Amino acid sequence: MIDFTLSKAQQAARDYAHQVALEEMRPISLECDRTEEIPESFFWNMQRRYWGGAAAQARAYGQDEGVRQENLLSVISQEEMAWGDAALATAIPGPGLAAPPILSQGTPEQQARFLSIYMDGQLHWGALALTEPGIGSDVAGMSTTAVLDGDEWVINGHKHYITNGARADLIVTFATIDKRLGREGIRPFVVPKGTPGLIVGRIEKKMGLRASQTAELIFDNCRIPKENLLAGRGEKKAGFKAAMGTLDATRPMVGSLAVGIARAAYEAACEWLREELPAGYPPQKRRAWEEELKELGQEIEMARFLVWRAAWMADRRIPNSKEASMSKAYAGALVMKATATAVRITAPGEESERKLLIQKWFRDAKVFDIFEGTAQIQRLVIARRLFPTIDIP
Amino acid sequence: MLDFAPTEEQEEIRKLAQSIALDHLRPHARKAEAERDSSTELRLTLAQTGLTTPFPEEYGGSGPLEAVTYTLIAEELAYGDPGLALNIIGSLMGPLTVWLAGSREQQERYLPPFGDPTSGYLQRGSLAFAERSGSYTLADVHLQARRTGEGYLLNGTKRDVVHGQRADLRVVLARLAESESAEGQLCAFVLHGVQEGLSIQDEEEKLGLQAAPSATYHFHQAQLPAEALLGEAGSSGAVRAATLYQILRAAIACGTARAAFEYCSAYARERIAFGRPIVSYQGIAFIIAEMAMKLDAARLLTWRAACSWDRGEADETLIYEAESAQHQAVKMAQAATTDAIQVMGGAGFMQDHPAEMWMRDAAAME
């Protein structure tokens, strides 16, 4: 039955994440952005809170409700965290982007072996290495190679723009086992931190999400055990599917981060208009801004619903490529509009923490139109799903 | 708990509405546009499905309306033809407002003719909402009602009243003000036995939605009897009726956009240019992808408002959600229908195809 109300577990997840955003993220947001560093205490606080009462309560409600809702719970809480600080949200300890391919393509033994690392109460991260200097969305053109040598895979190549790449304990790395096979030759491998031949290159300087670590990784005859290939169920396109399946799960999450930033900017602009608009400002201009913000508020709701729907489909195991791309494309454009509007509306104001945050969100926003597939790639995915019999190059 | 799937029962009703839309609405759209009304046969067909009598069985209806279910129906009807969908829903809003806002006595008086198994389909209802600005937002409802010794005195103008000229049951939204200056509470009145002070003018030349005939009402010191007020002043029945109309209008906009989206998609798949179907070019494919995305967004906003309506949320929430849905859906439909013509090129401009009609229909929605 169509329903837009949150269940107890969903409300608890939202409330927990909002509290985290308010207490752990907002207070250090500007400083982390400035220094491009995150204090160790933040990681430990997040770890403590994850195993603490509020999060446990949310998980318990989730168990009670007896339906799969991990994707929905995740997008609901991600929106709140991004409302706090999207860069910090990407740095929370845990398997992160490494989890979806391990879950979808790993055997039960592999899932247990790799994911148990994250359960010991210490600080661990995961990463996903897909992008290369020469390829972004066109994963079929990948040049990182994996060659089987005895009981080991030997990986050679160059990956970049890897979130948490330098601190990740496990890096799910996509490489081709045979370039002639195109995308059918692509396989996911789990590369542990500290493997000889795995070299961390430079850490990028970015326009926004500056506190989020974006690393370059070089694989120079990097040898990993044969058992670290996530072989799926032996399907021919397993590796490519893993890459794409990962995107179907992560695009709504990226969408939810975008919604969170958009909402933060929208709320800050509304507050500024209420509290700080200089006296004597032309009333017709104020009304025009109020109209603009009203429109923005409605668009934020639509973006959120697109995200929720895509996540709900993922939970129900309904194929959701098209809907995942819609949520990401819509939210990515919206966060740009929302943050730009907030910058413009608050322009006449004195410098304040609120204004600095708005400026930070404006810088953070742009990448949401780019990573996990650019706005153009999302439209291509939508169009190909709408017209499955037509070749849209 | 969040859920985005209609129930099986809703899915069946939606399919029924879709088959009616494709078999009986779409083929007669141009004729209805020219004749500025639906045919008697169509109304009989619809009445037999029970889709047009969503009020309690005791008055001859097919069961009380649920907003989510009817939102699905309205989208399908508009997918058939937006003008005819508005013709049907505009009529329905008359008895529905009586059901939502009226006293038991008023329901017993006004609803049975609509539920009559042999002649109910000939009845027309109407709900006067919009005023000079043409907008369907409650902040723009100003028609003034003042209490007098015998009843109420109405002053002001209503326009775009679907079936206003020939309705058997005319309901108007007004503001009941205690003093001349105050903006009063939203109320619904039945125009019954109005002797003078009301002039009704046919709106003959409209840009779109011609299949839904509409009229303008001018009230000048029009005297209404005391029993004309539906229910009690200040109860939320009038707000529920008004927001329901807004939600269904949003659904009509979604149906219009879907018609345009599917029509131009089929065209772009068939039409060859430079040796390839035009949809294989990103310049065309992206326009259509964008349409699909924004249609889904507006539909979700509409469903959310409908869910809140069914749950009986507070007036303030309902008004915000229904008006948001209507605003966004109409805006989306205007863009989608315009883009559909662009996708089709010159053919879209011709009356051989319905796209140009849908663009005019969408433009006439607000």
Side-chain angles (χ1 to χ4, degrees):
Chain A
M1 194 182 85
I2 298 171
D3 189 355
F4 284 74
T5 54
L6 301 185
S7 69
K8 268 178 122 175
Q10 292 159 355
Q11 282 176 35
R14 184 194 58 192
D15 296 346
Y16 160 71
H18 189 75
Q19 205 183 345
V20 166
L22 206 60
E23 292 167 7
E24 306 288 349
M25 296 177 161
R26 282 283 177 100
I28 59 171
S29 181
L30 285 173
E31 183 61 16
C32 292
D33 184 64
R34 232 173 260 130
T35 58
E36 303 186 337
E37 267 170 37
I38 300 172
E40 176 119 342
S41 58
F42 169 76
F43 299 134
W44 284 111
N45 288 348
M46 293 308 298
Q47 189 78 344
R48 178 175 49 76
R49 280 179 180 263
Y50 184 77
W51 297 107
Q57 181 67 66
R59 285 193 292 272
Y61 283 139
Q63 299 268 309
D64 286 351
E65 288 168 6
V67 292
R68 278 179 183 278
Q69 49 177 328
E70 67 266 16
N71 283 281
L72 264 178
L73 293 176
S74 167
V75 294
I76 289 167
S77 51
Q78 292 285 348
E79 177 185 331
E80 296 306 320
M81 302 249 187
W83 177 90
D85 186 310
L88 294 173
T90 65
I92 295 171
L97 292 175
I102 292 174
L103 288 171
S104 71
Q105 297 298 307
T107 61
E109 182 274 322
Q110 287 175 319
Q111 293 184 13
R113 176 152 51 102
F114 296 130
L115 295 177
S116 63
I117 294 175
Y118 297 93
M119 312 297 267
D120 69 354
Q122 298 302 305
L123 299 180
H124 299 290
W125 289 267
L128 182 75
L130 189 61
T131 307
E132 298 178 359
I135 64 125
S137 299
D138 179 20
V139 292
M142 191 170 288
S143 64
T144 298
T145 57
V147 177
L148 191 61
D149 178 24
D151 282 345
E152 290 176 326
W153 286 100
V154 185
I155 301 180
N156 275 292
H158 190 174
K159 296 280 180 185
H160 75 170
Y161 302 167
I162 313 303
T163 300
N164 294 323
R167 58 167 80 100
D169 297 83
L170 295 180
I171 300 151
V172 174
T173 305
F174 284 86
T176 174
I177 53 168
D178 185 347
K179 277 191 191 174
R180 288 165 305 180
L181 293 177
R183 62 193 201 183
E184 289 181 19
I186 294 168
R187 297 287 183 275
F189 300 88
V190 179
V191 181
K193 186 180 190 171
T195 305
L198 169 63
I199 301 149
V200 176
R202 67 183 204 144
I203 305 296
E204 304 288 343
K205 295 263 181 197
K206 305 187 297 298
M207 173 192 193
L209 296 186
R210 287 158 52 88
S212 172
Q213 182 193 70
T214 306
E216 177 187 36
L217 297 174
I218 295 136
F219 299 85
D220 181 15
N221 284 321
C222 178
R223 290 177 168 269
I224 54 165
K226 201 171 149 191
E227 298 75 40
N228 283 18
L229 164 67
L230 298 173
R233 275 151 256 127
E235 300 139 272
K236 238 187 158 191
K237 288 190 184 173
F240 181 69
K241 266 195 180 163
M244 293 300 119
T246 293
L247 294 171
D248 290 344
T250 54
R251 277 174 181 159
M253 314 236 173
V254 171
S256 69
L257 292 173
V259 173
I261 301 174
R263 197 183 100 212
Y266 162 78
E267 286 177 6
C270 290
E271 282 161 18
W272 185 85
L273 215 52
R274 259 198 320 270
E275 295 162 14
E276 284 184 53
L277 186 72
Y281 216 75
Q284 68 273 23
K285 199 148 190 177
R286 184 201 184 106
R287 273 198 300 278
W289 281 344
E290 283 167 350
E291 276 302 308
E292 222 178 310
L293 287 172
K294 191 175 153 195
E295 191 84 25
L296 205 53
Q298 295 171 355
E299 287 168 359
I300 289 171
E301 291 187 311
M302 289 193 284
R304 179 182 300 129
F305 296 157
L306 286 173
V307 166
W308 283 356
R309 180 187 57 170
W312 171 85
M313 290 175 79
D315 285 334
R316 296 283 171 104
R317 304 294 184 265
I318 304 169
N320 74 338
S321 292
K322 184 181 82 186
E323 289 78 9
S325 283
M326 283 181 175
S327 71
K328 159 70 170 65
Y330 193 96
L334 172 70
V335 70
M336 299 273 296
K337 181 175 167 183
T339 52
T341 303
V343 166
R344 182 163 40 78
I345 287 179
T346 58
E350 305 272 318
E351 186 169 302
S352 65
E353 188 176 301
R354 183 183 286 153
K355 275 192 72 169
L356 289 173
L357 277 169
I358 289 173
Q359 289 169 12
K360 174 192 179 298
W361 297 327
F362 175 76
R363 287 184 287 104
D364 288 346
K366 183 58 195 156
V367 79
F368 288 86
D369 234 1
I370 299 169
F371 62 6
E372 304 282 319
T374 61
Q376 288 69 32
I377 288 294
Q378 307 305 335
R379 279 160 180 77
L380 201 55
V381 172
I382 297 166
R384 284 176 179 162
R385 298 282 159 177
L386 288 172
F387 302 97
T389 58
I390 306 257
D391 179 31
I392 306 175
Chain B
M1 177 178 299
L2 293 175
D3 195 339
F4 298 92
T7 61
E8 271 176 40
E9 195 191 344
Q10 286 170 334
E11 194 52 38
E12 263 171 43
I13 296 176
R14 194 189 65 75
K15 280 188 186 141
L16 170 68
Q18 189 180 52
S19 69
I20 297 279
L22 288 174
D23 297 342
H24 299 282
L25 267 53
R26 183 79 63 94
H28 300 123
R30 286 291 184 186
K31 187 160 162 277
E33 183 180 41
E35 291 175 359
R36 301 178 54 233
D37 208 350
S38 62
S39 66
T40 316
E41 298 81 54
L42 173 62
R43 286 196 275 150
L44 180 59
T45 307
L46 280 161
Q48 283 161 350
T49 63
L51 292 178
T52 49
T53 48
F55 43 84
E57 278 135 356
E58 54 184 307
Y59 303 121
S62 51
L65 170 141
E66 283 171 349
V68 170
T69 308
Y70 220 85
T71 296
L72 300 172
I73 296 170
E75 178 179 328
E76 295 305 327
L77 295 177
Y79 171 69
D81 182 62
L84 284 170
L86 186 61
N87 180 311
I88 296 160
I89 284 159
S91 172
L92 206 50
M93 284 314 300
L96 283 177
T97 306
V98 171
W99 169 54
L100 292 167
S103 64
R104 177 137 195 111
E105 203 185 328
Q106 289 166 323
Q107 293 175 349
E108 281 167 1
R109 179 170 175 194
Y110 295 113
L111 290 179
F114 285 86
D116 188 290
T118 52
S119 62
Y121 71 97
L122 294 169
Q123 292 284 311
R124 288 165 197 266
S126 72
L127 175 63
F129 189 137
E131 301 186 3
R132 283 185 201 284
S133 71
S135 98
Y136 280 80
T137 50
L138 283 173
D140 285 334
V141 171
H142 302 295
L143 179 70
Q144 193 193 58
R146 269 194 301 137
R147 246 184 261 276
T148 63
E150 316 79 275
Y152 302 92
L153 213 52
L154 262 59
N155 277 294
T157 302
K158 287 285 178 186
R159 45 157 290 200
D160 200 28
V161 187
V162 175
H163 297 301
Q165 51 277 73
R166 276 190 289 165
D168 303 283
L169 173 62
R170 292 190 178 91
V171 183
V172 294
L173 293 178
R175 297 277 173 190
L176 183 58
E178 297 308 324
S179 68
E180 193 113 17
S181 57
E183 179 84 353
Q185 287 167 315
L186 187 77
C187 288
F189 292 91
V190 173
L191 298 184
H192 196 78
V194 184
Q195 303 298 333
E196 51 192 51
L198 167 64
S199 74
I200 298 177
Q201 213 180 337
D202 204 352
E203 293 170 352
E204 280 176 26
E205 300 208 351
K206 291 200 293 187
L207 173 63
L209 298 171
Q210 283 99 329
S214 62
T216 301
Y217 295 169
H218 294 287
F219 296 92
H220 182 71
Q221 300 286 81
Q223 179 72 46
L224 268 61
E227 65 270 21
L229 174 66
L230 285 176
E232 284 163 31
S235 70
S236 54
V239 170
R240 289 188 58 76
T243 50
L244 178 64
Y245 200 12
Q246 291 168 332
I247 292 166
L248 296 179
R249 292 176 68 88
I252 289 176
C254 290
T256 307
R258 200 179 102 221
F261 157 70
E262 288 190 10
Y263 197 90
C264 80
S265 294
Y267 184 91
R269 203 183 284 130
E270 300 298 320
R271 169 77 183 190
I272 306 289
F274 307 102
R276 279 160 51 191
I278 59 171
V279 77
S280 71
Y281 298 103
Q282 294 188 351
I284 297 294
F286 285 12
I287 294 175
I288 297 177
E290 184 103 8
M291 259 188 213
M293 174 176 84
K294 291 189 172 163
L295 167 59
D296 281 11
R299 182 189 289 124
L300 289 168
L301 202 65
T302 306
W303 284 2
R304 192 268 305 258
C307 280
S308 296
W309 197 93
D310 285 336
R311 274 205 319 280
E313 290 285 348
D315 288 359
E316 207 176 297
T317 308
L318 280 185
I319 294 169
Y320 166 72
E321 294 185 358
E323 293 190 349
S324 298
Q326 181 184 232
H327 173 62
Q328 293 297 336
V330 169
K331 198 170 83 164
M332 177 279 300
Q334 289 170 349
T337 51
T338 308
D339 285 345
I341 295 185
Q342 191 64 27
V343 165
M344 295 172 66
F349 194 68
M350 303 300 151
Q351 295 203 341
D352 301 340
H353 295 284
E356 62 84 26
M357 180 170 63
W358 293 331
M359 179 177 155
R360 290 185 286 107
D361 289 342
M365 283 177 192
E366 205 172 39

